[in-house]
């Protein structure tokens, strides 16, 4: 009989209980390893109200228990087919954020005209009427001078009612400058899946049926994305599959893996192409998906080219070209000194993955891709899925089912009556983040300049290139903390003549604002919805107000634009309010909104109508109407079907592209625009590829700031399972339970060093040190951690706030608690995608004992 590890532990605990039965009172045979079941109802009076957790971009459907007008508990949505009623710790921390005494309670205005980190804003409370009047006056001044393009909207975290503030408002007003935060969160990993299979999005994973998980730079049981799903299923995964984790740090997921591959940061690409070499030379590629040699012999022999005519491909394009241009020389022995993984382990993992195919997956995440040359690392890691036929297969890597939500009326014919000549002219200007410039191809979905380059907007503002920004609004963001090279944002925000910040908490970004507006808390105080996916189901989850707000807050994406539109109409620009009232009506009654909260509700109903209106039914869950949707909280698709997209990829060839004709066309288009060559574009973007190598997954040496002689250590950051994207750091619980992250400690912001390196430096546990990069220094206490590869220094992202609250800062507005990684790391990018480079050891550091 085969007994799994999990079953053995359960059985051992149960028999242990029997052995002790004569000594202690009998109790049910339950223990920490007993399968937990989601309870249908918790004790106590109250009502469970559906909502969505936005502690990361998993956007898990949730429920909140409301008792006597107060939210007291959260859990996963009991109807969820993905997370099956569970949330990770981030969801539970939302309660602390909701009732944080340091939340912004009323609108405020700056009374100190000087701006800077060392300048106290001297905020004073004002009314919403005065705040909105002030913002509207600034916007009207731009219309009067016909400079609407000099208005900027900076979006942070969001819901899908973003259509109002991020799309409709800027377009009707007349600016191209809707700048999202997406590129500081992801984008580079999407590059890998798009230029191979035409899918620009996060992938889904069939954990229930997988037999091998190869994780590149991810930590799914602790950090972004699908964390509750991974937590729920990981015990089963460990029983039925082999798990191998590529990460310089022994993460929570790595600590439970069968194989840990502590790669040198940024060298994931070398590891990936070496594994591809092994899979081909060992003859373990998928014949069904990739194809075979016509004579039945394996002609993939290291160091030797292959005749393309000898191979018959099926659902892929260019495997022989990839071999001849790159893989034939990328042996494990070549890769080992580059990536730091022994050749024997490279072979073992590659063979194990391929032998488990097609019920296997390569889970490629930001840790491997968000680096200066990360686009090709993402492409190389994801290409392994194609080699073993793990795309759209049982136990493999999936796209997603459609969740056919509606946009608010954004079609050209709907917008046209509301866009006047000034607005139309303003929209035609270049964007402040410089996307599409020669240096920044930002090839979202294959379109040059199609992606955002969030962090570079600071340089655009500072250099007034392509022009100066005069009025800006930011919401649900904190770019002065969350972007690398954060001091640039402090200077850029100081330079803005007028800036309004919509936020729940005072933040570093608020410090530079002229007006601060208090925002409703996303999970419990607003109308909105979010689409997401996990465990083969796409879903749409609601957010709804369930308690009376304690303070004078408004919903950032809907209420604030509506109230601002009322002010603009009173001052002579009616177009925006006319659009909101005429085009965004209640789909049930046909009524136009008469106030901001009605507008927020109607937009949510309008955009989700396809899910709850029986007459619009398009598949998935059948809901009886709006009230049914509001009560259940989510709509879910049918399960994702396997292999339906084989041969139907949204690529140039409609195949999975090892030789990417799709990338080739995109790079040609960008090069032609700038009247130059693709080689010149890649060199400008800090890549090394030449010629046809640009169109295949290939190895790019890690790009780092700092000379190795002066800065001998590679810096590597990671995310905590308690990070609500940097927003949970004003909660005492965050610091008390920080020790749940491997190697971390409660109430400290530790710097992790391998004990071997510590001996060389004469450093011991708890010593205070200064860590210095080429751009900045931070100080902290050392912890010796064998779970970090020698030559690498690691620290968690999240601490180092100096203006987020009384807990987050040692002294608000002056002294941070801990150190900010983004202060330490220079601003740099994967320019092909627009992504910020924050992983892959983007900077070197030196350590000095204090």
């Amino acid at each position: 009989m085969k007994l799994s590890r999990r079953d053995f532990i359960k059985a051992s605990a149960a028999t242990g209980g029997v052995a002790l039965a004569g000594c202690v009172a009998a109790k049910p045979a339950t223990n920490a390893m007993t399968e937990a079941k989601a309870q249908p109802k918790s004790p106590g009076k109250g009502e469970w109200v559906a909502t969505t957790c936005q502690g990361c971009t998993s956007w898990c459907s949730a429920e909140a228990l409301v008792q006597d007008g107060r939210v007291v508990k959260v859990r996963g949505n009991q109807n969820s087919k993905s997370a099956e009623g569970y949330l990770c710790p981030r969801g539970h921390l939302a309660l602390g954020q909701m009732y944080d005494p340091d939340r912004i309670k009323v609108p405020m205005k700056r009374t100190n005209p000087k701006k800077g980190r060392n300048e106290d804003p001297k905020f004073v409370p004002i009314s919403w009427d005065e705040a909105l009047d002030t913002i509207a006056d600034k916007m009207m001044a731009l219309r009067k001078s016909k400079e609407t393009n000099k208005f900027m909207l900076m979006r942070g975290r969001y819901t899908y009612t973003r259509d109002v503030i991020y799309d409709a408002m800027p377009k009707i007003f007349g600016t191209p400058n809707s700048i999202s935060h997406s590129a500081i969160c992801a984008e580079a990993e999407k590059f890998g899946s798009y230029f191979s299979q035409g899918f620009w999005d996060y992938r889904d994973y069939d954990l229930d049926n997988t037999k091998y998980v190869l994780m590149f730079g991810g930590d799914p049981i602790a950090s972004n994305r699908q964390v509750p799903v991974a937590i729920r299923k990981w015990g089963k995964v460990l029983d039925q599959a082999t798990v191998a984790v590529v990460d310089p740090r022994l993460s929570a997921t790595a600590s439970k893996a069968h194989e840990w591959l502590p790669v040198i940061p940024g060298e994931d690409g070398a590891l990936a192409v070496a594994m591809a070499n092994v899979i081909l030379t060992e003859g373990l590629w998928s014949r069904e998906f990739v194809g075979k040699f016509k004579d039945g012999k394996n002609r993939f022999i290291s160091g030797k080219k292959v005749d393309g005519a000898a191979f018959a491909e099926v659902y892929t394009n260019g495997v022989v070209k990839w071999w001849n241009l790159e893989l034939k020389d990328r042996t494990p022995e070549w890769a080992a000194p580059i990536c730091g993984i022994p050749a024997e382990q490279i072979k073992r993992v590659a063979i194990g993955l391929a032998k488990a195919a097609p019920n296997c997956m390569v889970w490629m995440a930001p840790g491997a891709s968000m680096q200066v040359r990360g686009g090709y690392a993402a492409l190389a890691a994801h290409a392994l899925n194609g080699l073993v036929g793990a795309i759209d297969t049982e136990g493999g890597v999936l796209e997603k089912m459609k969740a056919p939500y509606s946009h608010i009326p954004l079609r050209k014919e709907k917008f046209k009556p509301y866009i006047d000549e000034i607005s139309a002219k303003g929209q035609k200007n270049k964007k402040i983040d410089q996307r599409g410039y020669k240096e920044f191809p930002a090839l979202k979905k294959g379109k040059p300049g199609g992606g955002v380059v969030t962090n570079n907007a600071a340089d655009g503002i500072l250099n007034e290139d392509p022009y100066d920004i005069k009025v800006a609004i930011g919401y649900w963001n904190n770019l002065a903390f969350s972007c690398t090279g954060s001091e640039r944002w402090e200077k850029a925000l100081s330079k803005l003549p007028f800036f309004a910040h919509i936020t729940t908490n005072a933040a570093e970004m608020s410090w530079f604002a002229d007006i601060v507006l208090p925002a409703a808390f996303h999970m419990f105080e607003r109308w909105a919805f979010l689409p997401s996916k996990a465990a083969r189901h796409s879903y749409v989850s609601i957010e709804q107000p369930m308690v009376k707000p304690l303070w004078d807050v408004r919903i950032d994406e809907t209420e604030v634009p509506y109230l601002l539109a009322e002010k603009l109409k009173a001052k002579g620009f009616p177009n925006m309010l006319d659009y909101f009232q005429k085009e965004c009506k209640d789909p049930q009654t046909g009524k136009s909104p008469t106030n901001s909260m009605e507008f927020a509700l109607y937009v949510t109903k309008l955009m989700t109508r396809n899910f709850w209106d029986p007459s619009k039914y398009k598949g998935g869950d059948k809901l009886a109407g709006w009230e049914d949707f509001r009560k259940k909280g989510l709509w879910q698709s049918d399960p994702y079907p396997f292999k339906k997209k084989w041969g139907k990829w949204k690529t140039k060839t409609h195949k999975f592209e090892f030789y990417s004709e799709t990338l080739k066309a995109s790079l040609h288009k960008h090069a032609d625009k700038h009247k130059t060559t693709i080689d010149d574009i890649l060199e400008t973007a800090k890549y090394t590829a030449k010629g046809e190598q640009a169109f295949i997954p290939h190895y790019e040496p890690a790009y780092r700031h700092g000379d190795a002689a002066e800065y001998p250590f590679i810096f590597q950051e990671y995310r905590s399972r308690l990070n609500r994207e940097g927003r949970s750091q004003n909660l005492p619980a965050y610091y008390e339970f920080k020790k749940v992250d491997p190697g971390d400690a409660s109430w400290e912001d530790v710097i992790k060093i391998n004990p071997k390196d510590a001996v060389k430096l004469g450093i011991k546990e708890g010593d205070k040190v200064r860590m210095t990069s080429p751009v900045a220094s931070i100080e902290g206490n050392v912890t010796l951690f064998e779970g970090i590869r020698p030559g690498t220094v690691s620290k968690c992202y999240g601490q180092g706030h100096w203006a987020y609250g009384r807990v987050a800062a040692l002294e608000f507005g002056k002294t941070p608690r801990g150190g900010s990684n983004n202060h330490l790391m220079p601003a740099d990018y994967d320019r092909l995608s627009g992504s910020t480079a924050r992983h892959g050891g983007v900077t070197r550091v030196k350590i000095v004992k204090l």
Side-chain angles (χ1 to χ4, degrees):
M1 180 181 71
K2 183 179 179 181
L3 192 64
S4 73
R5 175 192 60 85
R6 196 170 180 84
D7 289 337
F8 174 77
I9 295 173
K10 289 182 195 175
S12 299
T15 55
V18 172
L20 293 172
C23 303
V24 296
K27 293 183 179 180
T30 61
N31 56 78
M33 294 306 301
T34 301
E35 282 290 335
K37 294 183 179 180
Q39 298 300 310
K41 185 121 178 137
S42 292
K45 296 179 180 179
E47 179 187 7
W48 286 101
V49 183
T51 185
T52 308
C53 175
Q54 289 190 260
C56 73
T57 53
S58 296
W59 295 339
C60 296
S61 189
E63 295 174 352
L65 181 62
V66 178
Q67 293 178 339
D68 299 323
R70 188 177 179 91
V71 183
V72 298
K73 187 177 182 179
V74 296
R75 68 183 184 186
N77 191 307
Q78 303 298 288
N79 299 304
S80 173
K81 299 172 185 176
S82 300
E84 299 174 328
Y86 287 82
L87 287 181
C88 79
R90 291 176 182 81
H92 299 279
L93 288 171
L95 289 170
Q97 281 188 270
M98 168 71 170
Y99 295 110
D100 185 348
D102 288 342
R103 279 184 62 181
I104 301 296
K105 299 171 178 63
V106 296
M108 301 186 300
K109 73 175 179 181
R110 183 185 203 92
T111 59
N112 180 4
K114 295 181 180 180
K115 292 183 180 181
R117 180 163 176 168
N118 297 319
E119 293 290 342
D120 185 342
K122 297 182 179 178
F123 287 121
V124 297
I126 57 174
S127 66
W128 272 95
D129 190 60
E130 181 182 348
L132 293 165
D133 253 331
T134 303
I135 298 170
D137 284 341
K138 298 294 182 181
M139 293 177 70
M140 289 302 295
L142 292 181
R143 285 198 56 84
K144 185 176 181 180
S145 62
K146 298 182 180 180
E147 296 179 303
T148 56
N149 59 296
K150 296 185 178 183
F151 170 72
M152 177 183 185
L153 189 283
M154 293 176 279
R155 189 194 82 194
R157 182 51 62 222
Y158 59 94
T159 75
Y160 270 61
T161 58
R162 64 185 179 184
D163 276 11
V164 176
I165 193 170
Y166 182 67
D167 205 342
M169 188 176 84
K171 283 180 178 176
I172 293 173
F173 184 73
T175 181
N177 289 311
S178 300
I179 307 298
S180 82
H181 86 306
S182 297
I184 65 171
C185 179
E187 302 310 279
E189 64 172 281
K190 300 173 186 176
F191 183 95
S193 57
Y194 183 80
F195 287 108
S196 53
Q197 68 181 83
F199 183 64
W200 189 279
D201 204 342
Y202 306 122
R203 281 74 53 213
D204 193 13
Y205 304 92
D206 183 18
L207 293 175
D208 281 323
N209 299 298
T210 197
K211 295 179 181 177
Y212 206 108
V213 178
L214 175 55
M215 177 71 58
F216 272 88
D219 189 12
I221 65 171
S223 180
N224 216 359
R225 301 174 178 85
Q226 301 188 7
V227 180
V229 176
I231 290 173
R232 177 73 174 130
K233 297 178 182 295
W234 213 251
K236 179 184 178 184
V237 170
L238 291 173
D239 285 344
Q240 72 189 23
T242 299
V243 176
V245 175
V246 180
D247 198 315
R249 176 184 68 100
L250 188 71
S251 64
T253 305
S255 71
K256 298 180 181 298
H258 303 92
E259 298 259 10
W260 176 38
L261 294 83
V263 68
I264 295 173
E267 302 294 3
D268 307 76
L271 179 61
V273 295
M275 287 184 174
N277 172 283
V278 172
I279 291 168
L280 291 175
T281 56
E282 293 290 329
L284 296 174
W285 73 87
S286 170
R287 269 61 172 179
E288 179 188 14
F289 189 70
V290 181
K292 61 184 179 181
F293 284 101
K294 295 174 182 177
D295 62 4
K297 297 180 180 179
N298 183 9
R299 300 185 179 279
F300 291 123
I301 301 171
S302 291
K304 295 184 179 181
K305 287 191 175 183
V306 171
D307 180 5
F311 195 92
E313 282 190 89
V314 185
Y315 293 106
T316 65
N317 179 70
V319 68
V320 173
K321 281 188 176 181
W322 186 25
W323 171 264
N324 290 337
L325 289 167
E326 177 73 8
L327 297 183
K328 67 180 178 64
D329 300 317
R330 302 311 194 193
T331 64
E333 291 75 19
W334 163 84
I338 296 173
C339 68
I341 305 301
E344 295 76 13
Q345 190 177 23
I346 296 174
K347 292 176 186 176
R348 183 173 65 248
V349 171
I351 290 170
L353 173 76
K355 285 187 174 180
N359 312 118
C360 63
M361 62 180 68
V362 179
W363 190 321
M364 182 266 297
S369 57
M370 289 185 71
Q371 49 175 305
V372 176
R373 294 166 177 163
Y376 286 109
L379 203 59
H382 189 64
L384 295 173
N385 285 309
L387 269 188
V388 298
I391 300 289
D392 266 27
T393 57
E394 186 175 0
V397 179
L398 314 176
E399 292 191 11
K400 63 179 180 181
M401 292 292 285
K402 289 184 178 180
Y405 63 89
S406 300
H407 291 280
I408 60 173
L410 299 174
R411 295 186 302 276
K412 189 174 181 179
E413 63 271 19
K414 290 288 186 178
F415 257 146
K416 192 173 182 179
Y418 307 98
I419 296 176
D420 61 15
E421 185 178 350
I422 294 174
S423 298
K425 185 177 180 180
Q427 286 184 47
K428 293 179 181 179
N429 284 270
K430 294 180 179 179
K431 293 178 182 285
I432 196 66
D433 64 344
Q434 302 176 355
R435 69 185 77 176
Y437 279 29
K438 180 183 176 182
E439 180 185 358
F440 292 108
L443 301 174
K444 181 178 180 180
K445 296 184 179 179
K447 178 183 177 183
V452 65
V453 193
T454 311
N455 201 9
N456 196 57
D459 294 294
I461 294 169
L462 288 169
N463 299 323
E464 299 185 8
D465 181 7
Y467 42 77
D468 58 321
I469 295 294
K470 292 185 175 181
V471 179
I473 295 176
Y475 83 95
W476 207 347
N477 52 6
N478 191 13
L479 301 178
F481 178 81
S482 60
C483 287
T484 57
S486 54
E487 287 188 359
R488 298 158 38 261
W489 276 100
E490 294 176 11
K491 294 175 182 177
L493 293 167
S494 297
K495 181 181 173 69
L496 291 176
F498 182 82
F499 170 52
H501 197 209
I502 314 170
T503 181
T504 55
N505 285 63
E508 284 76 15
M509 203 165 174
S510 312
W511 193 261
F512 304 92
D514 298 277
I515 296 288
V516 179
L517 300 177
F521 186 70
H522 70 277
M523 205 168 173
F524 312 122
E525 296 181 324
R526 68 182 295 157
W527 286 112
F529 78 99
L530 295 117
S532 193
K533 61 185 175 295
R536 295 182 61 200
H537 291 276
S538 291
Y539 59 88
V540 169
S541 183
I542 198 170
E543 289 181 343
Q544 55 186 315
M546 58 187 72
V547 293
K548 181 181 179 181
L550 292 175
W551 299 296
D552 194 13
V553 300
R554 301 291 186 274
I555 302 172
D556 44 23
E557 293 177 322
T558 47
E559 281 199 278
V560 173
Y562 186 91
L563 293 168
L564 194 53
E566 288 182 325
K567 291 291 185 183
L568 291 171
K569 182 171 185 176
K571 297 175 187 297
F573 181 61
N575 303 37
M576 197 177 300
L577 186 63
D578 287 351
Y579 171 78
F580 291 158
Q581 292 183 333
K582 293 178 182 179
E583 305 295 343
C584 300
K585 298 178 181 180
D586 184 341
Q588 287 180 295
T589 66
K591 179 184 174 184
S592 293
T594 59
N595 58 60
S596 61
M597 187 55 90
E598 282 186 354
F599 177 67
L601 172 60
Y602 295 172
V603 166
T604 304
K605 292 171 72 174
L606 183 68
M607 296 183 72
T608 59
R609 185 178 183 181
N610 287 341
F611 308 112
W612 55 261
D613 186 341
S615 70
K616 300 286 185 179
Y617 179 72
K618 298 179 184 295
D621 290 349
K622 290 185 177 181
L623 300 174
W626 167 253
E627 283 303 312
D628 192 26
F629 177 54
R630 190 191 65 76
K631 184 177 180 180
K632 291 178 179 175
L634 81 163
W635 166 92
Q636 299 168 100
S637 73
D638 296 325
Y640 188 89
F642 300 122
K643 298 185 179 181
K644 293 293 186 182
K645 294 194 175 181
W646 283 22
K648 301 175 184 178
W649 310 115
K650 294 181 180 179
T651 59
K652 288 289 183 181
T653 62
H654 303 296
K655 295 184 176 184
F656 188 97
E657 296 184 342
F658 297 121
Y659 183 93
S660 182
E661 295 289 353
T662 308
L663 179 55
K664 186 176 184 177
S666 297
L667 286 172
H668 267 302
K669 189 172 182 180
H670 186 70
D672 292 346
K673 174 184 174 182
H674 293 282
K675 296 181 173 58
T676 188
T677 64
I678 291 176
D679 284 357
D680 182 41
I681 292 296
L682 290 175
E683 184 177 356
T684 302
K686 297 187 177 181
Y687 279 95
T688 64
K690 300 289 184 182
E692 288 194 300
Q693 194 180 37
F695 316 132
I696 59 170
H698 67 270
Y699 168 64
E700 289 274 345
Y703 184 98
R704 310 193 200 285
H705 290 259
D707 180 72
E710 183 177 359
Y711 302 96
F713 296 99
I714 300 170
F715 179 72
Q716 186 258 352
E717 73 158 15
Y718 61 94
R719 298 295 185 269
S720 168
R721 68 178 69 207
L722 304 178
N723 275 11
R724 287 179 61 83
E725 299 186 318
R727 300 190 299 270
S728 50
Q729 280 72 31
N730 202 46
L731 304 180
Y734 176 87
Y735 301 95
E736 182 64 30
F737 297 108
K738 191 66 179 68
K739 60 189 176 185
V740 300
D741 294 312
D744 278 12
S746 297
W747 292 96
E748 286 197 50
D749 192 15
V750 296
I751 296 170
K752 295 191 183 75
I753 301 176
N754 189 282
K756 294 180 180 178
D757 292 325
V759 170
K760 296 175 184 177
L761 293 171
I763 291 172
K764 62 182 184 300
E765 179 74 23
D767 281 350
K768 188 172 184 178
V769 299
R770 178 180 296 116
M771 179 164 55
T772 302
S773 74
V775 297
S777 297
I778 59 177
E779 296 179 0
N781 293 333
V782 161
T783 190
L784 306 185
F785 186 50
E786 292 180 346
I788 183 75
R789 69 167 294 123
T792 302
V793 177
S794 183
K795 193 179 85 64
C796 187
Y797 167 81
Q799 298 191 50
H801 280 288
W802 52 271
Y804 193 66
R806 286 171 283 186
V807 179
L810 291 176
E811 184 178 1
F812 182 81
K814 293 183 179 180
T815 309
R817 182 185 297 278
S820 170
N821 293 356
N822 287 328
H823 176 65
L824 188 73
M825 292 191 289
D828 214 335
Y829 313 86
D830 170 63
R831 289 160 174 79
L832 291 184
S833 65
S835 175
T836 288
R838 62 181 329 116
H839 299 303
V842 68
T843 190
R844 290 184 169 275
V845 296
K846 57 186 175 184
I847 303 291
V848 177
K849 182 179 177 180
L850 299 178

